[in-house]
Amino acid sequence: MLLTTTFDFPWWLRVEHFLNIIFVTFFIRSGIEILGTYPRLHTNVHNRPGAQWAQFTIKEKSKHKYYAVGSEYEDYSPIISLPGRGLLGLGRYWHFMVVMGYVTCFLIYYILLFATGQWLRYIPPSLSTLGDAAYNMVEYLAFTMPEHMTGYPFNAAQQLAYFTAIFILPPFMIFTGMFQSPAVNSHWPKITHALGGRQMIRTLHWWGLIGYLGFIVGHVSMVFIHGYGHEVSKMVFGHSDSPVAGAVIFTIGLAFVVFLHVWATRHSLEKPRKVEKLHNLLVRPLTRQLMKLESRQELDPNNVTEHFRASGCPPENDEYMALIVHDYKDYVLEIGGFVEKPMTLTMEQLREISDGYEQTTMHNCVQGFSSIGTWGGVPLHVILDLVKPLPGATDVVFHCFQNMGRDDAIYPEGWYYESCPMMEARQPQTLVATNLNGEDIPIKNGAPVRIRQEISTGFRSAKWVERIEVVNRYDIIGKGRGGWFEDFDYYDRLQMI
C-alpha cells in the first residue's frame, strides 16, 4: 500500500518532527556534557590507562597516586554542552528528562505510524532501493537533483536516511543507554557481557551519537539542496504550496528551539535546584522502579581489574592516620541510630560474620569508567537484621572519615557521607566490604571498610566508612539531600540510571 501525496504530511507527523528537533538537540548537548566528565572511550571494561581508542581532551591522567576523578573533567563550553562547565549532575538531569520525553514521543509516533499505514513509506520496498540510494548520492555529487521514488514523497537516499533515523537509531540509543544503567546491567549481567561489557556499550552509544549528528548534517543539507522554503513548508502546512510563508514560520520555530537551549543553559547555571526538582518529578518514578531490580552479578573472579580504579583522596585526619599505623586493629564500625540493638563491630568480628562471603561485581562510576573486583564482607541486610531497625526506619546513612576540601582540594570542605533507601540497603549484593580480590582493601579503594551498592553508580559506594546510622528521615543530615555530592554537586540521590 502506497500513500497518496494528500496524506504525505499529517498534522501529528509535523508536530512530532518539531518535538524531535527539540529532544534530539537537547540530548546531544547533555550527552556531550556527560562524555566530558570522562572524555575517553574504551572497549575493555577494565579501562587500562592509555588503552582508550578515542580521547576528547588534551588532559593526561594524573601520575599522582591518588587524585579526584573531577580532575579529569573537560570544561566544555555551554555553547556546546548542556549546561557546560563540567556540571555532570545537571547534565545527567537534562539527559534523562529529555530521554523520557524522547521515548514518549517516539512511542506515540510509532503507534500513529502503524495505525495509519504511514510506516510503509519509510520501509524500502525492495533490496534494489539500496542501489537506487547509491545512485542518488552520485547524482547529488554531480549536482543533479534525484527524482522521487514512484508513490513516495522523496528519493531512495532520503528514504534510507529516514528509515535509519526512525527505526534504527531510536531503539539502538535507548537500548545502549539502558544498559549503561547500573541497575539494568547488574540485573541482566549476561546480556551486558554479550554486548561486550559496559565500555563497549558506552562506545556503541557514542557511535549512535555520531549517527544522529551525521543524519542532522545530511538532512539539513538535503533541505537546502531541495529548496529551504519548499521543504520546510511541508512541515508547516503539510504541502509545498507556500514556500515563503513556510520558511518564515519554520525559521521562527527554529529560533524558538535556540531560545529553549539558551534558557535551559542559563537556568541550569543560575537556578540548578529548580532543574533538580523538575528532574525528580519526571524521572524519579522510573528510578524508584529500577531500585527493585536486584543485582545478580556473578562475574568471573579470574577477570578482575588488575589495579581497581581509585577515585578520590584518602582521609588525612589524625584519627584515620592512627588506624593505618596500627593496621586497623583499633577500628570499630558503629551501627546505630533508629535501631533496637545498636552495636559496634571490630574488623575481626566483621570477618567472622562474613564467613567467607564474596561477590565479583562491576563498578559503574557515575563519570563513566568501570572496574571489576571480588569483594568480601558482610551483606548489609545481615547487619540490619542484627541491629533490628525500628518501625518507621526508612534510610541508612554511611558516615566517612574523609573531609572533602581538605582531602580533595578541588571540592568545598565537608565530611563525606552517603545514604540509601531501606529497599536498596536490603538488596542482596549491598555489601559492607572488608576485602578486595582476596586481600585487605587498599587505602586508595576505601580501607578498612567501604560500602558496595551494586545497583547504583559508584560514588554512592562510600569509602573509608566510620559508622552506619539507620534513620527515619535523611533530610536533616548535611544539607538534607542524602549525600555529599547531592548536597554540593547536584547529583541525584537515586542513581539507578
Side-chain angles (χ1 to χ4, degrees):
M1 182 181 79
L2 296 181
L3 300 173
T4 64
T5 54
T6 305
F7 303 104
D8 280 343
F9 303 98
W11 68 268
W12 53 266
L13 188 146
R14 287 178 272 142
V15 170
E16 184 279 337
H17 182 269
F18 183 72
L19 290 176
N20 213 30
I21 293 174
I22 298 173
F23 290 138
V24 170
T25 53
F26 265 74
F27 80 57
I28 287 175
R29 287 187 65 226
S30 57
I32 292 173
E33 180 76 4
I34 295 171
L35 176 65
T37 57
Y38 188 62
R40 297 173 176 84
L41 292 175
H42 292 256
T43 57
N44 189 290
V45 70
H46 301 300
N47 295 122
R48 293 183 178 89
Q52 66 269 17
W53 70 269
Q55 180 168 307
F56 309 97
T57 177
I58 59 173
K59 295 180 180 178
E60 295 298 327
K61 292 184 179 181
S62 173
K63 293 182 175 59
H64 194 275
K65 187 175 182 181
Y66 303 121
Y67 60 97
V69 173
S71 64
E72 292 187 75
Y73 282 18
E74 253 316 325
D75 188 5
Y76 294 147
S77 166
I79 297 175
I80 299 172
S81 61
L82 176 64
R85 300 181 183 172
L87 295 173
L88 173 60
L90 290 168
R92 285 170 59 88
Y93 285 160
W94 277 112
H95 201 65
F96 300 143
M97 285 191 295
V98 171
V99 167
M100 295 291 284
Y102 170 77
V103 171
T104 301
C105 180
F106 257 97
L107 287 176
I108 295 173
Y109 183 54
Y110 286 151
I111 291 171
L112 291 171
L113 279 178
F114 285 97
T116 61
Q118 288 270 5
W119 64 278
L120 287 169
R121 70 183 192 167
Y122 296 123
I123 306 298
S126 67
L127 290 178
S128 64
T129 305
L130 297 175
D132 294 339
Y135 184 73
N136 289 159
M137 295 307 298
V138 172
E139 289 181 294
Y140 280 123
L141 293 174
F143 300 100
T144 302
M145 195 69 67
E147 294 184 1
H148 287 178
M149 300 165 61
T150 304
Y152 293 89
F154 32 61
N155 59 53
Q158 291 173 307
Q159 185 186 57
L160 286 182
Y162 294 141
F163 173 77
T164 301
I166 294 170
F167 292 111
I168 302 297
L169 284 177
F172 178 83
M173 294 298 279
I174 292 168
F175 186 75
T176 55
M178 181 175 65
F179 269 88
Q180 291 182 74
S181 157
V184 172
N185 67 45
S186 66
H187 188 71
W188 289 287
K190 291 183 180 179
I191 297 178
T192 302
H193 179 72
L195 293 170
R198 187 171 191 263
Q199 294 308 316
M200 178 60 78
I201 296 169
R202 188 169 180 258
T203 287
L204 291 173
H205 200 64
W206 181 84
W207 279 114
L209 167 64
I210 298 303
Y212 266 111
L213 291 174
F215 173 78
I216 291 172
V217 171
H219 185 55
V220 171
S221 298
M222 292 299 102
V223 167
F224 280 97
I225 289 172
H226 286 266
Y228 179 74
H230 179 273
E231 293 300 307
V232 300
S233 178
K234 299 174 184 177
M235 289 297 106
V236 176
F237 302 113
H239 56 74
S240 57
D241 298 338
S242 305
V244 175
V248 171
I249 295 173
F250 194 81
T251 302
I252 293 173
L254 292 179
F256 177 69
V257 174
V258 173
F259 166 78
L260 289 178
H261 278 275
V262 173
W263 175 86
T265 303
R266 295 190 61 178
H267 206 69
S268 299
L269 297 175
E270 296 173 2
K271 301 177 181 179
R273 292 301 174 191
K274 289 190 175 182
V275 177
E276 178 184 54
K277 288 180 180 179
L278 181 60
H279 166 272
N280 292 346
L281 177 66
L282 297 176
V283 182
R284 277 285 174 87
L286 172 62
T287 53
R288 292 188 188 281
Q289 293 303 311
L290 290 176
M291 195 189 302
K292 299 176 182 179
L293 297 178
E294 293 184 355
S295 175
R296 303 187 298 189
Q297 299 182 79
E298 295 179 3
L299 306 183
D300 184 1
N302 296 315
N303 188 39
V304 297
T305 303
E306 184 178 359
H307 299 289
F308 196 95
R309 175 72 185 267
S311 56
C313 301
E316 296 182 4
N317 60 70
D318 292 341
E319 183 179 2
Y320 184 75
M321 294 296 184
L323 290 174
I324 296 175
V325 169
H326 293 93
D327 197 26
Y328 308 111
K329 292 179 181 178
D330 299 326
Y331 176 81
V332 291
L333 177 64
E334 177 185 344
I335 307 100
F338 205 62
V339 298
E340 183 180 328
K341 298 181 178 180
M343 63 174 57
T344 57
L345 296 170
T346 64
M347 292 299 295
E348 183 178 349
Q349 289 171 324
L350 283 169
R351 292 193 174 100
E352 182 179 346
I353 298 172
S354 169
D355 193 27
Y357 175 84
E358 289 185 337
Q359 60 190 40
T360 304
T361 56
M362 180 172 62
H363 180 86
N364 290 278
C365 182
V366 68
Q367 279 80 20
F369 70 80
S370 56
S371 293
I372 294 177
T374 297
W375 299 95
V378 186
L380 181 56
H381 67 83
V382 173
I383 292 178
L384 292 175
D385 289 340
L386 291 175
V387 299
K388 298 184 182 300
L390 294 170
T394 59
D395 299 87
V396 179
V397 182
F398 312 106
H399 299 274
C400 304
F401 288 106
Q402 186 183 29
N403 189 311
M404 304 291 281
R406 178 196 62 199
D407 302 326
D408 275 0
I410 67 173
Y411 297 114
E413 190 166 341
W415 291 101
Y416 193 88
Y417 77 101
E418 196 45 73
S419 69
C420 68
M422 191 62 69
M423 180 186 296
E424 186 177 5
R426 288 194 171 276
Q427 282 267 352
Q429 289 191 334
T430 298
L431 188 70
V432 178
T434 58
N435 298 85
L436 173 59
N437 298 334
E439 300 179 354
D440 293 345
I441 297 176
I443 292 174
K444 67 177 183 177
N445 296 121
V449 168
R450 72 170 295 168
I451 305 299
R452 292 300 310 167
Q453 297 186 80
E454 305 299 355
I455 64 166
S456 188
T457 52
F459 79 90
R460 300 189 67 245
S461 293
K463 300 186 288 290
W464 309 296
V465 175
E466 179 181 11
R467 59 190 172 91
I468 298 175
E469 181 182 10
V470 178
V471 299
N472 62 347
R473 55 183 299 185
Y474 68 85
D475 59 340
I476 58 175
I477 300 172
K479 291 185 177 294
R481 295 185 175 89
W484 191 92
F485 276 105
E486 294 89 327
D487 287 344
F488 290 96
D489 222 2
Y490 313 111
Y491 280 26
D492 184 19
R493 180 175 182 246
L494 301 184
Q495 290 278 340
M496 280 75 238
I497 303 178

